[in-house]
Amino acid sequence: MSYLDDPRVFFAAERTLLAWQRTAVALIGLGFVVERFGLFVRMVNASHTVPVESTAPTLWFGVAFLLLGAAVSTLAALQYQNFVRTLTHPEIPRGHNTWLGPILNYALALAALAMAAWFVWNGA
């Protein structure tokens, strides 16, 4: 009998996946805010006679955070799936779906990539 027969081990892995998912959401949110800050600066400077300096750094830093969030989300899902593959059937609680967490992480990563592509397409 292995120590993995305890369902707390499986649920700990699921909590870890969710913690990484929160981290990815925070990074994606930060990327969005940083990129939109460049838009705010352009709008404020448009109402003044002061020449607008380049807001390209906010675009690229924002996109970098978006890509980092997508990578974190994807890697967390892959790590979770690798762990679940090591479990035997009795070690996974009955009636529990193990595919929902990774699917949500992959959808989050795709949304972040789409947002990054949108920002680059419209900002460059």
Side-chain angles (χ1 to χ4, degrees), residues 68-111:
L68 183 60
V72 166
S73 183
T74 302
L75 291 173
L78 289 172
Q79 182 68 26
Y80 174 79
Q81 287 177 315
N82 286 339
F83 177 75
V84 168
R85 273 191 224 109
T86 66
L87 300 177
T88 61
H89 183 68
E91 293 170 333
I92 298 173
R94 191 169 33 143
H96 193 79
N97 295 323
T98 60
W99 53 267
L100 185 58
I103 292 293
L104 290 174
N105 272 31
Y106 292 133
L108 179 64
L110 284 175

Side-chain angles (χ1 to χ4, degrees), residues 19-106:
W20 280 111
Q21 192 175 55
R22 283 191 308 268
T23 302
V25 167
L27 288 168
I28 291 167
L30 181 62
F32 177 81
V33 168
V34 167
E35 199 285 329
R36 291 289 96 178
F37 182 72
L39 175 66
F40 172 73
V41 169
R42 284 193 302 269
M43 289 174 57
V44 168
N45 283 337
S47 64
H48 294 78
T49 57
V50 178
V52 178
E53 291 191 24
S54 172
T55 57
T58 61
L59 169 69
W60 296 114
F61 277 115
V63 167
F65 279 116
L66 287 168
L67 296 177
L68 183 60
V72 166
S73 183
T74 302
L75 291 173
L78 289 172
Q79 182 68 26
Y80 174 79
Q81 287 177 315
N82 286 339
F83 177 75
V84 168
R85 273 191 224 109
T86 66
L87 300 177
T88 61
H89 183 68
E91 293 170 333
I92 298 173
R94 191 169 33 143
H96 193 79
N97 295 323
T98 60
W99 53 267
L100 185 58
I103 292 293
L104 290 174
N105 272 31
Y106 292 133

